[in-house]
Amino acid sequence: MFDLKDKVVLVTGGGGLLGEMHSEAIVENGGKVIVGDLNFEAAQKVCDKINSDKAFPILLDVLDKKSIINCLETHPDINVLINNAAIDPKVTQDSGPGGAFENLTEYEWDLSVDVIMKGTFLCSQVFCPVFAEKGGGVVVNISSVMGVIAPNQSIYGDSFKPITYSAAKHGIIGMTKYLSTYYAQSNVRVNTLSPGGVFDNQPEEFVDKLTNLIPMNRMADKTEYKGSIVFLCSDASSYMTGHNLVVDGGMTAW
Ligand SMILES: NC(=O)c1ccc[n+]([C@@H]2O[C@H](COP(=O)([O-])OP(=O)(O)OC[C@H]3O[C@@H](n4cnc5c(N)ncnc54)[C@H](O)[C@@H]3O)[C@@H](O)[C@H]2O)c1
């Protein structure tokens, strides 16, 4: 029931850290993956790494409906959509002060909220009616623990996790509920995956502070969401729709 051999999956933002893992998981379980990214080189690199005739890169801007329609026309057999693209400023050694609520500009709001929410809206608007017409499909929206709880700003040093990320990630969970009920009778299942923080060589001080907030006392390895992706895309979750699957080492249980 976890077999993905009949699934053709578009991963938006597929060239990024987790997009690569989602794409790998799909091919490892028999599916075909279309790795869509604004950064075509990154998408190409992911496909090169997967090294399979079941992985195809495509230039995709989730904020451009024409680009999304081009993706559908190029791969009309897509029957699963993973809305994964986002702009999420990473915590790095070089992160300076930023993200403070009082100083956040409208430009920063538009950029971050648009990629996450408008991108999910536009991709869903293009693909869901096609899935419904064809008798079914699956949508997996990627939110975050930050779609469930507020960021604990004390872990970010002299910068802040911006309100845009909270707003958009909470919004994704609402969009999932809306779309899941809207398309429930068309056999289009829509769920959310909310991952916790992935270890990616962040500064030690940040990692220490964050892991103190996680009952399992560690960040996720980037491979640890692959199982959930396979579950949500496959028939193993055939009676699940409108759900938010939180995979966070227990962070939101505290
Ligand atoms: N990494 C984490 O710790 C973590 C934790 C929880 C949730 N998430 C969520 O998982 C998803 C993937 O995160 P990630 O860490 O892989 O991020 P990432 O920054 O590594 O990848 C995001 C990708 O989206 C692409 N992108 C940006 N704008 C785009 C657009 N307009 N059209 C198409 N592609 C676009 C970027 O080029 C990039 O390749 C995001 O939704 C993120 O919010 C990540």
Side-chain angles (χ1 to χ4, degrees):
M1 64 173 79
F2 291 91
D3 197 336
L4 296 177
K5 72 173 183 309
D6 298 327
K7 308 290 186 204
V8 182
V9 186
L10 170 63
V11 181
T12 75
L17 180 72
L18 286 180
E20 180 184 340
M21 295 300 105
H22 305 335
S23 303
E24 211 174 77
I26 288 148
V27 173
E28 283 168 356
N29 287 276
K32 178 170 145 185
V33 70
I34 317 302
V35 183
D37 207 294
L38 193 55
N39 180 346
F40 179 77
E41 259 179 44
Q44 177 76 64
K45 233 185 202 170
V46 166
C47 293
D48 290 347
K49 267 197 199 167
I50 294 175
N51 191 20
S52 157
D53 58 0
K54 289 183 143 196
F56 301 85
I58 193 164
L59 177 65
L60 169 70
D61 181 356
V62 297
L63 293 179
D64 176 1
K65 203 162 175 182
K66 278 192 204 137
S67 168
I68 305 165
I69 291 170
N70 171 60
C71 193
L72 169 66
E73 286 172 351
T74 311
H75 297 282
D77 49 352
I78 289 171
N79 53 20
V80 180
L81 166 66
I82 302 183
N83 283 309
N84 170 77
I87 292 181
D88 174 17
K90 300 275 191 277
V91 178
T92 66
Q93 304 288 356
D94 307 324
S95 298
F101 175 70
E102 293 82 358
N103 304 332
L104 205 75
T105 63
E106 286 184 49
Y107 173 77
E108 287 168 314
W109 172 274
D110 288 346
L111 188 68
S112 177
V113 173
D114 269 7
V115 173
I116 296 173
M117 293 199 71
K118 193 171 163 186
T120 296
F121 159 64
L122 290 176
C123 290
S124 303
Q125 195 179 46
V126 168
F127 282 98
C128 287
V130 176
F131 294 171
E133 206 173 294
K134 284 188 185 167
V138 174
V139 179
V140 179
N141 292 326
I142 307 298
S143 179
S144 162
V145 281
M146 294 300 127
V148 181
I149 54 173
N152 185 324
Q153 301 290 3
S154 70
I155 69 173
Y156 297 101
D158 55 0
S159 59
F160 296 86
K161 191 81 177 174
I163 192 170
T164 44
Y165 199 66
S166 282
K169 290 299 183 181
H170 275 76
I172 285 295
I173 295 169
M175 286 169 79
T176 294
K177 289 179 186 168
Y178 184 101
L179 288 172
S180 67
T181 51
Y182 192 89
Y183 282 109
Q185 294 185 23
S186 306
N187 197 30
V188 179
R189 298 189 298 107
V190 187
N191 291 295
T192 304
L193 172 64
S194 287
V198 177
F199 178 69
D200 191 26
N201 297 308
Q202 292 92 339
E204 203 177 320
E205 197 186 337
F206 169 79
V207 174
D208 286 348
K209 284 182 179 167
L210 175 54
T211 52
N212 276 333
L213 300 174
I214 301 172
M216 286 178 74
N217 203 34
R218 64 177 180 85
M219 294 181 75
D221 184 82
K222 63 181 181 180
T223 58
E224 291 188 296
Y225 302 110
K226 289 169 81 173
S228 306
I229 285 291
V230 174
F231 170 62
L232 291 173
C233 292
S234 69
D235 293 345
S237 58
S238 57
Y239 193 54
M240 183 183 274
T241 199
H243 186 67
N244 180 25
L245 183 59
V246 182
V247 183
D248 65 351
M251 187 173 182
T252 54
W254 250 351

